[in-house]
Amino acid sequence: MRHESSFSLEYDTASAAATVERSLEPEIGDIEGERTAAALSRDGKTVRIDIEASDLVALRAGQNTWLSLAGVAERSLAAGRSLSE
């Protein structure tokens, strides 16, 4: 049985969403294991992360990992913006 979850992260601008997407993209395929896979997509101002896992424990770990990575990307984006102001 496969387990799935999806997260849609919406940003103020398409540029911000593209920056977050570019930050996460190198991790696709790099941090996945035998039990978890993730896909990343963007539509305008929204970044979508789809996670698929073989069991609920792996799904929860995948969710935590990807949301943490997105949080780091968001904080980096905010820090970069504050430096340019």
Side-chain angles (χ1 to χ4, degrees):
M1 175 180 220
R2 298 299 286 178
H3 302 277
E4 302 173 352
S5 65
S6 297
F7 297 96
S8 293
L9 310 172
E10 189 166 336
Y11 298 93
D12 293 337
T13 65
S15 175
T19 299
V20 171
E21 178 189 30
R22 283 191 306 273
S23 296
L24 297 177
E25 200 167 40
E27 306 302 334
I28 295 290
D30 193 41
I31 62 172
E32 295 172 355
E34 294 178 11
R35 296 168 47 206
T36 307
L40 181 68
S41 61
R42 183 176 63 85
D43 182 16
K45 298 188 296 183
T46 303
V47 174
R48 182 180 168 111
I49 304 168
D50 297 307
I51 303 164
E52 186 176 289
S54 59
D55 57 78
L56 290 175
V57 172
L59 181 64
R60 184 186 56 153
Q63 291 170 336
N64 289 340
T65 297
W66 286 101
L67 290 176
S68 293
L69 290 171
V72 169
E74 291 168 358
R75 288 189 298 278
S76 297
L77 179 63
R81 284 181 176 165
S82 68
L83 289 175
S84 66
E85 294 177 350

